[in-house]
Amino acid sequence: VDVTRIGLYFQDTKPEFPLSRTAVMDGEFVIPAGDSDFDVSARVVIDKDSYLYNIAPHMHLRGKRVKYRAEYPDGTKEELLSIPNFQHNWQMVYRLKEPKMLPAGTVIVAEGAFDNSVDNKLNPDSTQVVRWGDQVWDEMFITWMRVSER
């Protein structure tokens, strides 16, 4: 028996700084058959002063690790999130305790790796070259982030 409930809250005015979704992604990778540590990276430039609220990494069965950093316009760098043992079944939205200010020109860098070897127990077929695709036996390297303009 399902007892689903949902709560919706409405307000009369539009929010001053609505959340929007942006993504860091690489859809051009080609993972060789049998490769146990295939590196992949992507970056996106934040073009307006913004606040970062959450990070939602997404990879499929060959996802091995992923980390994110902010490279600020003044040259400083800050690690935002590191998942050294990515697990497809544990994909989560990582919500920041406090929104992170990202000045215009900040670059968000995502670096990760895939394991397309026989040692990866989730790998459906280590003999196949793997590319971007919607199915779980394909792969993705994408991260959604919720931001709002400052």
Side-chain angles (χ1 to χ4, degrees):
V1 175
D2 184 4
V3 188
T4 302
R5 295 173 55 186
I6 185 170
L8 300 174
Y9 298 86
F10 298 93
Q11 64 184 51
D12 295 328
T13 59
K14 290 175 70 173
E16 185 177 0
F17 302 106
L19 289 178
S20 62
R21 184 172 78 169
T22 190
V24 183
M25 67 175 284
D26 175 4
E28 302 298 320
F29 57 81
V30 178
I31 308 168
D35 194 326
S36 66
D37 197 38
F38 181 79
D39 289 327
V40 64
S41 66
R43 57 184 52 228
V44 67
V45 177
I46 305 300
D47 60 355
K48 297 179 181 175
D49 287 352
S50 300
Y51 287 101
L52 173 65
Y53 290 86
N54 68 42
I55 301 172
H58 185 78
M59 299 188 322
H60 290 170
L61 299 173
R62 295 169 188 86
K64 183 173 183 176
R65 67 175 176 275
V66 65
K67 64 182 175 181
Y68 305 89
R69 74 174 172 274
E71 296 181 352
Y72 297 108
D74 67 3
T76 61
K77 298 176 183 180
E78 178 182 16
E79 186 172 275
L80 300 172
L81 176 65
S82 177
I83 306 170
N85 183 18
F86 184 88
Q87 297 292 317
H88 176 261
N89 296 327
W90 299 351
Q91 293 186 70
M92 303 174 73
V93 174
Y94 294 86
R95 292 175 177 84
L96 283 64
K97 286 184 181 180
E98 297 291 329
K100 170 68 65 183
M101 175 59 191
L102 303 175
T106 298
V107 179
I108 304 297
V109 179
E111 296 175 327
F114 293 107
D115 181 353
N116 192 21
S117 74
V118 295
D119 295 328
N120 176 355
K121 293 179 182 13
L122 296 177
N123 192 351
D125 186 352
S126 63
T127 67
Q128 296 297 310
V129 170
V130 181
R131 293 178 171 81
W132 178 279
D134 292 337
Q135 303 304 317
V136 74
W137 53 82
D138 300 316
E139 267 306 335
M140 289 187 175
F141 186 71
I142 186 168
T143 300
W144 293 280
M145 301 181 303
R146 291 285 183 187
V147 297
S148 72
E149 287 185 27
R150 181 173 181 199

